[in-house]
Amino acid sequence: MQLIYLWCALFFAVLANALVLWVWLSSKKNQQVLQTNVDEKLSHLERENKILRHEINEVNASSISMGKNIRQLAQYFAELENRFSELELVDPESKLYSRAAKLAEKGASIEEIIEECEIPRAEAELVVSLRKRKR
């Protein structure tokens, strides 16, 4: 009878060890699977991060280029404004342009300026544009 108890105790001890071993191996395998998933996601995130950094660098470069272009345009318009002022002083027809400028300041439309001063549309548009900038 004691032998049966001994065999039962031994059986349960072996069974308990097998169960512990099985749980340990299962958790080890799960850890490896989880680690693989984490590594894959981390790799994916690193690739996306690299792409986003590249895109940010491109946006920064574009912004710098646009800033330079805006500065150049501002200088260009300042030069045009100076030339326009010089033309008013030198050109015998400057009275027309002075009148056009005054009309533009009062809010006259481009068509009204063309009719009143008899100047081409492009010049009337320029006068209106420059006067709007001064305000």
Side-chain angles (χ1 to χ4, degrees):
M1 184 85 156
Q2 287 183 348
L3 190 58
I4 291 177
Y5 289 132
L6 186 60
W7 279 106
C8 284
L10 185 61
F11 173 75
F12 284 121
V14 169
L15 184 62
N17 283 334
L19 183 61
V20 167
L21 181 63
W22 180 76
V23 168
W24 182 75
L25 288 175
S26 293
S27 68
K28 195 78 161 157
K29 185 176 180 181
N30 285 339
Q31 286 176 349
Q32 289 173 346
V33 169
L34 287 174
Q35 187 62 45
T36 302
N37 286 344
V38 167
D39 291 344
E40 287 174 0
K41 289 185 190 247
L42 184 61
S43 174
H44 177 73
L45 288 174
E46 287 173 350
R47 284 191 304 270
E48 284 186 10
N49 188 20
K50 185 177 180 182
I51 291 168
L52 289 174
R53 284 183 184 185
H54 179 71
E55 289 177 357
I56 287 171
N57 289 338
E58 286 181 357
V59 168
N60 285 339
S62 295
S63 295
I64 291 169
S65 176
M66 285 175 53
K68 289 177 183 176
N69 288 342
I70 289 171
R71 265 186 257 121
Q72 288 174 346
L73 285 173
Q75 289 173 348
Y76 176 74
F77 281 119
E79 289 174 21
L80 280 178
E81 199 168 3
N82 290 336
R83 287 181 186 170
F84 183 73
S85 296
E86 290 172 4
L87 279 176
E88 286 179 340
L89 299 174
V90 175
D91 189 5
E93 295 179 347
S94 65
K95 290 182 183 181
L96 292 177
Y97 293 102
S98 295
R99 174 100 175 108
K102 287 178 186 176
L103 287 171
E105 286 177 11
K106 291 180 182 178
S109 69
I110 293 173
E111 284 73 23
E112 291 171 331
I113 294 172
I114 292 171
E115 275 184 39
E116 187 75 29
C117 301
E118 298 179 3
I119 59 175
R121 172 174 282 285
E123 291 174 6
E125 289 173 353
L126 180 62
V127 168
V128 169
S129 173
L130 290 174
R131 291 303 165 184
K132 283 182 181 176
R133 271 193 80 229
K134 278 189 175 181
R135 288 189 217 158

